[in-house]
Amino acid sequence: MKRFYDHLLFKEYEISLEGLALYRILFAGFYLLLVGVPSFSWLSEVPDYFFYPQRFSIARPFFESIPPRLLLLLLDFGILITLICILFGYRTTLNCLLFTGLLILGYSLKFSLGKIGHAILVVILPALLAFSGWGRCLSLDQKQGDCRNKITAYSPFIVAMILGFAMFTAGWSKILNGWLAFDQFGTYNYFGLHLYILEDKGVFTSFLSSFSYPLLWKVMDYAAVLLEVLFLPVVLSRKWLRSFCLIAVVFHVSTWWILNIAYINNLLIYLLFIRWESVRTYLNNYGIIDRLHRSISWKTFIVVLSIFLVQHSYFIFVDSEFLVRDMLISPFSFFVSETIDFRQIRVIFLFLAAVFVVIADFRVHRWYRHHKTIRS
């Protein structure tokens, strides 16, 4: 039993530090370019009457009303700067903790207005990986020399456990609320809510509205519950968890198409569990990692930081109406109009990127096994 748990905690999810560094760059890059950086300065325009933190909110003991705009501006720019520092690996551990802390504070203030979101996994991920060593390679503060043979597994395992537990609680709550009962149709009820009440249509909403087959909707209920509940036990095997992450991507695509629920935050978490060792070997074989290492410099850091500071300043001080609509700041924010849904743009690009990475993962792993066999 001890050997089993030692292997699970320290071997099953091992990733080389160079592989973790590639994931760090991918995570921060996706956040900046596709997911979008959250902003909280618009809260200063909300009347204090609506400000009522929940009992366990960290905003409750520190704020009796919405903070002044200057503090919220410092919060906004602090989140952006720490994220860019994570991208370039500058004081990575400290900036990971600061990034998570600032986001938790910002979301606590936002949730004090009433509605609570579900972005907590991507919020705490940098803090969970802060001590994994993902900033010791391909970074500005790289001081360890060659780190290709060094591996870590404990932090990725913790992330896998939290992901599995989060998915399990989502499925367990559905079981307690009667989703598996044959006289209840949870998916169909949500479908009707989005179609007739919210008028929030997905790609196939109109097509499925003509379906009157109860068995089809019941199969969807059971499929959703089984996927979410089984996420926790499959954490015992990284291979099985990787397969479930692939199924989860398909699940998120289907909920987007059917219910127009674009829940994309977990996609960044799933990418942690692809075969990073194969990706690292493949990229290194073509000299891409060396070029990436050379591109991470103080000059590039200043240029990227300046560009995103200008972008942030534009939307915060000029186009602030964009933020009042609770939008996230990214390069795609410039293309938002009355007829273009910013959320749909992010979903399309993130799903395409996720599918591309998953397909590349399998192809690169096949190349890696073939290359390893020839070398042996």
Side-chain angles (χ1 to χ4, degrees):
M1 187 66 71
K2 180 180 182 298
R3 288 196 298 269
F4 171 77
Y5 284 111
D6 283 346
H7 176 81
L8 180 63
L9 267 66
F10 304 111
K11 289 292 184 181
E12 183 69 20
Y13 287 88
E14 62 182 20
I15 305 174
S16 67
L17 295 184
E18 205 165 32
L20 271 176
L22 290 172
Y23 175 72
R24 186 199 79 238
I25 296 172
L26 181 70
F27 171 83
F30 269 27
Y31 225 122
L32 287 166
L33 300 176
L34 296 178
V35 176
V37 183
S39 173
F40 304 100
S41 57
W42 60 271
L43 291 172
S44 61
E45 302 180 19
V46 179
D48 290 336
Y49 175 81
F50 297 99
F51 184 78
Y52 188 78
Q54 291 78 20
R55 178 175 299 178
F56 298 105
S57 172
I58 65 171
R60 190 181 184 106
F62 299 106
F63 301 100
E64 297 181 355
S65 61
I66 296 177
R69 180 171 174 80
L70 178 59
L71 182 60
L72 294 174
L73 288 174
L74 293 175
L75 181 64
D76 280 358
F77 285 99
I79 292 172
L80 174 66
I81 293 172
T82 54
L83 182 58
I84 294 179
C85 288
I86 294 174
L87 174 66
F88 283 88
Y90 175 66
R91 298 187 179 273
T92 314
T93 300
L94 174 61
N95 281 294
C96 284
L97 298 176
L98 285 175
F99 178 74
T100 296
L102 292 175
L103 274 183
I104 289 177
L105 175 59
Y107 279 119
S108 297
L109 294 171
K110 175 185 171 183
F111 296 161
S112 298
L113 302 181
K115 183 180 179 180
I116 299 178
H118 306 281
I120 188 61
L121 288 180
V122 292
V123 171
I124 65 174
L125 178 67
L128 294 175
L129 296 178
F131 300 97
S132 66
W134 71 340
R136 290 169 58 184
C137 293
L138 302 175
S139 61
L140 289 175
D141 49 26
Q142 179 179 353
K143 300 178 181 179
Q144 304 297 326
D146 186 10
C147 54
R148 299 182 184 183
N149 296 324
K150 299 177 182 178
I151 56 177
T152 183
Y154 185 71
S155 294
F157 168 74
I158 295 299
V159 175
M161 281 294 298
I162 293 178
L163 172 64
F165 182 75
M167 298 291 284
F168 175 83
T169 55
W172 186 249
S173 65
K174 290 182 177 64
I175 294 175
L176 296 180
N177 285 278
W179 273 57
L180 300 185
F182 284 98
D183 59 341
Q184 300 291 331
F185 296 94
T187 305
Y188 183 76
N189 291 338
Y190 274 94
F191 177 78
L193 171 67
H194 283 262
L195 177 61
Y196 300 111
I197 299 178
L198 300 179
E199 297 183 355
D200 190 15
K201 297 181 180 181
V203 178
F204 294 122
T205 303
S206 300
F207 173 73
L208 290 176
S209 61
S210 60
F211 272 61
S212 59
Y213 302 105
L215 181 60
L216 172 66
W217 296 104
K218 203 62 211 172
V219 169
M220 292 183 184
D221 288 349
Y222 271 82
V225 171
L226 284 176
L227 172 65
E228 293 172 341
V229 170
L230 292 178
F231 237 97
L232 184 57
V234 300
V235 171
L236 299 178
S237 170
R238 184 182 179 183
K239 179 180 179 181
W240 277 99
L241 180 65
R242 186 185 299 116
S243 301
F244 264 67
C245 287
L246 177 59
I247 298 173
V249 172
V250 178
F251 171 76
H252 291 308
V253 172
S254 64
T255 57
W256 173 43
W257 284 349
I258 297 174
L259 303 176
N260 202 25
I261 299 177
Y263 189 70
I264 59 176
N265 295 317
N266 280 8
L267 293 179
L268 290 180
I269 312 294
Y270 301 152
L271 293 177
L272 176 62
F273 305 109
I274 67 174
R275 302 176 181 91
W276 284 106
E277 187 61 27
S278 303
V279 174
R280 182 193 68 82
T281 305
Y282 181 83
L283 296 179
N284 191 58
N285 188 66
Y286 290 94
I288 297 177
I289 290 184
D290 291 334
R291 290 196 294 269
L292 183 62
H293 180 73
R294 289 193 298 267
S295 66
I296 298 178
S297 62
W298 282 109
K299 181 180 179 180
T300 312
F301 175 82
I302 296 300
V303 171
V304 172
L305 179 62
S306 301
I307 292 174
F308 280 97
L309 283 176
V310 171
Q311 173 187 270
H312 241 59
S313 300
Y314 172 79
F315 285 108
I316 289 176
F317 299 112
V318 178
D319 196 9
S320 58
E321 182 183 352
F322 170 85
L323 300 178
V324 173
R325 288 181 284 162
D326 196 19
M327 297 297 183
L328 303 172
I329 301 177
S330 81
F332 291 103
S333 306
F334 291 97
F335 304 102
V336 174
S337 66
E338 296 294 333
T339 58
I340 299 178
D341 188 348
F342 175 77
R343 184 180 62 171
Q344 300 295 347
I345 295 176
R346 291 193 296 117
V347 171
I348 291 173
F349 276 89
L350 264 179
F351 277 137
L352 289 177
V355 172
F356 172 77
V357 171
V358 169
I359 294 175
D361 174 38
F362 283 98
R363 291 182 62 85
V364 168
H365 182 63
R366 186 170 61 181
W367 172 90
Y368 174 72
R369 293 178 60 183
H370 178 70
H371 179 74
K372 190 175 181 180
T373 302
I374 294 178
R375 187 173 56 185
S376 299

